[in-house]
Amino acid sequence: MPSTDYGVGFGPADRLAQDPESVRRRFWIKFKKVVARLPFAEDLLAAYYCAFDRQTPRHVQAALLGAIAYFILPFDFIPDMLPVLGFTDDAAVLATAIRMVASHITPDHREAARAALKRGVDGSSLNPSS
């Protein structure tokens, strides 16, 4: 993916976002571990599906991949293991990215997110590519 000005402003996340396959793989590992604690799980999944949709413009993909990369990093400004506050920084970064590109997150992306969460709740794998 070409370099753009649409990173999250956090070097490690911006560098990770340059490797979409690593983001894809690491996203599902972390998401499965924390999904029960994420009040923004559906938005995160919709952003993920939009980021990997071939119809999504590159600058939108870059913004969303940066936010998703920030989510999957093992370190960030507020450690995810802290109760209540742990995911607030992740949610803020994601909300900002979604606000920037909201018109590109389609009803199909949101439906895919709801379906993946439903499959996960039913006990099957959340990762549609596994």
Side-chain angles (χ1 to χ4, degrees):
M1 176 170 294
S3 178
T4 68
D5 293 334
Y6 291 96
V8 295
F10 183 58
D14 293 337
R15 284 189 296 280
L16 179 60
Q18 297 300 311
D19 182 5
E21 286 311 309
S22 180
V23 171
R24 184 187 301 265
R25 185 181 68 258
R26 292 172 65 179
F27 172 83
W28 289 109
I29 292 167
K30 182 163 184 181
F31 188 83
K32 288 176 185 180
K33 288 180 184 175
V34 300
V35 67
R37 297 183 294 164
L38 290 178
F40 57 93
E42 185 178 317
D43 289 330
L44 178 59
L45 274 175
Y48 172 88
Y49 288 124
C50 182
F52 286 100
D53 184 342
R54 286 186 168 91
Q55 302 300 314
T56 300
R58 294 297 243 184
H59 70 280
V60 173
Q61 289 177 333
L64 292 174
L65 283 171
I68 292 166
Y70 185 83
F71 166 75
I72 65 177
L73 284 172
F75 56 89
D76 50 22
F77 296 118
I78 302 174
D80 294 339
M81 64 193 120
L82 291 176
V84 181
L85 296 177
F87 291 106
T88 55
D89 58 328
D90 301 275
V93 168
L94 181 65
T96 300
I98 287 174
R99 222 169 303 146
M100 288 172 40
V101 300
S103 64
H104 296 281
I105 299 176
T106 68
D108 288 343
H109 297 137
R110 293 207 176 273
E111 181 55 37
R114 283 190 290 277
L117 285 171
K118 187 173 187 315
R119 284 191 309 272
V121 171
D122 292 340
S124 59
S125 174
L126 280 169
N127 183 352
S129 64
S130 67

